[in-house]
């Protein structure tokens, strides 16, 4: 992060972009809505100061693990994990930098 950002600010922007894309291609269903709620919940109590990172690990079985780094390190364990319908192209954003690490 370059500026301090709350988890709520970050997750709302990411989910706004994903929902808009899913709706535009006609694939927004109850499954995506449920995943959005879980994603928002995972970030709700977080604050990211300059130098913090948010890492996404996507496994071959569709599981997504979120890891939060507050000190520039790469965490050994994730902060949240679940099966999630995000696709790599939908995670990327011109306004939010996201790193994907395969696990």
């Amino acid at each position: 992060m370059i500026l301090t950002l709350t988890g709520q600010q970050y997750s709302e922007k990411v989910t706004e972009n994903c929902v808009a894309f899913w709706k535009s291609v006609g694939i927004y269903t109850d499954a995506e809505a449920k995943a959005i709620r879980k994603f928002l919940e995972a970030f709700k109590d977080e604050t990211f100061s300059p130098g913090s990172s948010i890492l996404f690990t996507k496994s071959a079985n569709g599981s997504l693990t979120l890891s939060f780094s507050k000190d520039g390190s790469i965490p050994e364990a994730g902060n949240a994990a679940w099966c999630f319908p995000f696709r790599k192209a939908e995670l990327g954003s011109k306004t939010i930098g996201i790193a994907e690490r395969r696990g």
Side-chain angles (χ1 to χ4, degrees), residues 20-29:
F21 173 78
W22 286 333
K23 286 182 176 181
S24 75
V25 296
I27 62 168
Y28 187 72
T29 68

Side-chain angles (χ1 to χ4, degrees), residues 60-94:
N61 70 357
S63 174
L64 177 70
T65 301
L66 302 174
S67 302
F68 308 135
S69 171
K70 306 290 176 132
D71 61 5
S73 65
I74 296 178
E76 292 294 320
N79 297 81
W82 62 92
C83 287
F84 205 72
F86 274 159
R87 293 160 187 87
K88 184 178 178 184
E90 295 160 21
L91 289 173
S93 169
K94 291 182 181 176

Side-chain angles (χ1 to χ4, degrees), residues 11-73:
S11 61
E12 286 178 353
K13 185 61 179 174
V14 170
T15 57
E16 174 187 310
N17 292 338
C18 290
V19 169
F21 173 78
W22 286 333
K23 286 182 176 181
S24 75
V25 296
I27 62 168
Y28 187 72
T29 68
D30 288 343
E32 284 77 17
K34 182 179 178 182
I36 291 294
R37 287 190 298 275
K38 289 181 87 170
F39 188 82
L40 292 169
E41 181 69 22
F43 283 90
K44 77 174 188 170
D45 296 326
E46 299 294 330
T47 300
F48 302 99
S49 301
S52 297
S53 298
I54 301 167
L55 303 160
F56 292 80
T57 304
K58 182 181 173 192
S59 71
N61 70 357
S63 174
L64 177 70
T65 301
L66 302 174
S67 302
F68 308 135
S69 171
K70 306 290 176 132
D71 61 5
S73 65

